[in-house]
Amino acid sequence: MEQSNGPIQQPLHAASADPAFVPGLTGVVAPLADAPGPEDAPRTADAVADPDADAVEEDAVEDAVEGGAAPAAVAADGPVFEAADRRGRIVADAEGVRLSYDEEACDFRWDEIAAVESGKGRFGKRFTVTVHTPDRRWYPIEIIAPDRGHITGWETELDAVLDAYFDEAS
């Protein structure tokens, strides 16, 4: 059964009123002005007993950043796919697939994905990635490549990530 784009289906009232009902969709969260910050938080006995623990963690993050790697990239050893244009962005790594377009974003863990489909436009520079979920929904995103040569490289990188992390049996 395919997802219909026509007016035949009635809209879901829960999803139309609250985007939190759509699986994988996350919005931009703004911090509250009256929320207590880390400086307002009470210190626990563990934090008072071992003040050097925070210094060790900060040193490790600083060393990673000085070495040219981001703190999140220190933990990831496998392949990473990333493609972006002025409006959209696709990231696939050990955690899953993240699609973002303007201010909207979808995060999918590998166990939430039934299939990942990629394609390129016949005449243009458009690269499309579609994430299919087990409940027969799909989430496409289209990225405009700087030139046609980038699309071939992106397909190769995406295939390497899918081979490394995506389990087709599940």
Side-chain angles (χ1 to χ4, degrees):
M1 176 181 186
E2 291 195 3
Q3 181 176 344
S4 176
N5 292 334
I8 297 171
Q9 296 179 341
Q10 294 295 324
L12 296 175
H13 295 289
S16 64
D18 186 6
F21 282 94
V22 179
L25 183 67
T26 59
V28 178
V29 178
L32 298 175
D34 59 345
E39 61 276 349
D40 298 336
R43 294 185 59 104
T44 61
D46 294 337
V48 173
D50 192 10
D52 295 330
D54 292 334
V56 170
E57 287 181 17
E58 290 175 4
D59 289 341
V61 170
E62 288 175 8
D63 291 342
V65 171
E66 288 173 3
V74 173
D77 291 335
V80 175
F81 168 73
E82 187 170 345
D85 66 1
R86 62 184 181 90
R87 297 185 73 186
R89 180 181 179 96
I90 305 166
V91 178
D93 57 12
E95 296 175 12
V97 178
R98 287 176 297 287
L99 309 175
S100 60
Y101 190 77
D102 290 337
E103 291 143 6
E104 301 296 326
C106 292
D107 296 330
F108 301 97
R109 295 185 321 265
W110 289 111
D111 60 343
E112 296 176 325
I113 298 173
V116 177
E117 178 183 2
S118 67
K120 57 184 174 180
R122 183 173 177 188
F123 299 112
K125 300 184 293 185
R126 298 181 187 272
F127 180 66
T128 304
V129 174
T130 306
V131 176
H132 296 268
T133 59
D135 57 348
R136 296 184 180 179
R137 302 281 303 176
W138 65 85
Y139 302 87
I141 187 168
E142 195 170 75
I143 301 292
I144 299 174
D147 58 46
R148 292 182 185 179
H150 276 81
I151 294 176
T152 306
W154 284 347
E155 285 183 329
T156 305
E157 292 174 21
L158 182 60
D159 285 341
V161 170
L162 293 175
D163 289 342
Y165 302 120
F166 185 63
D167 183 18
E168 294 180 14
S170 61

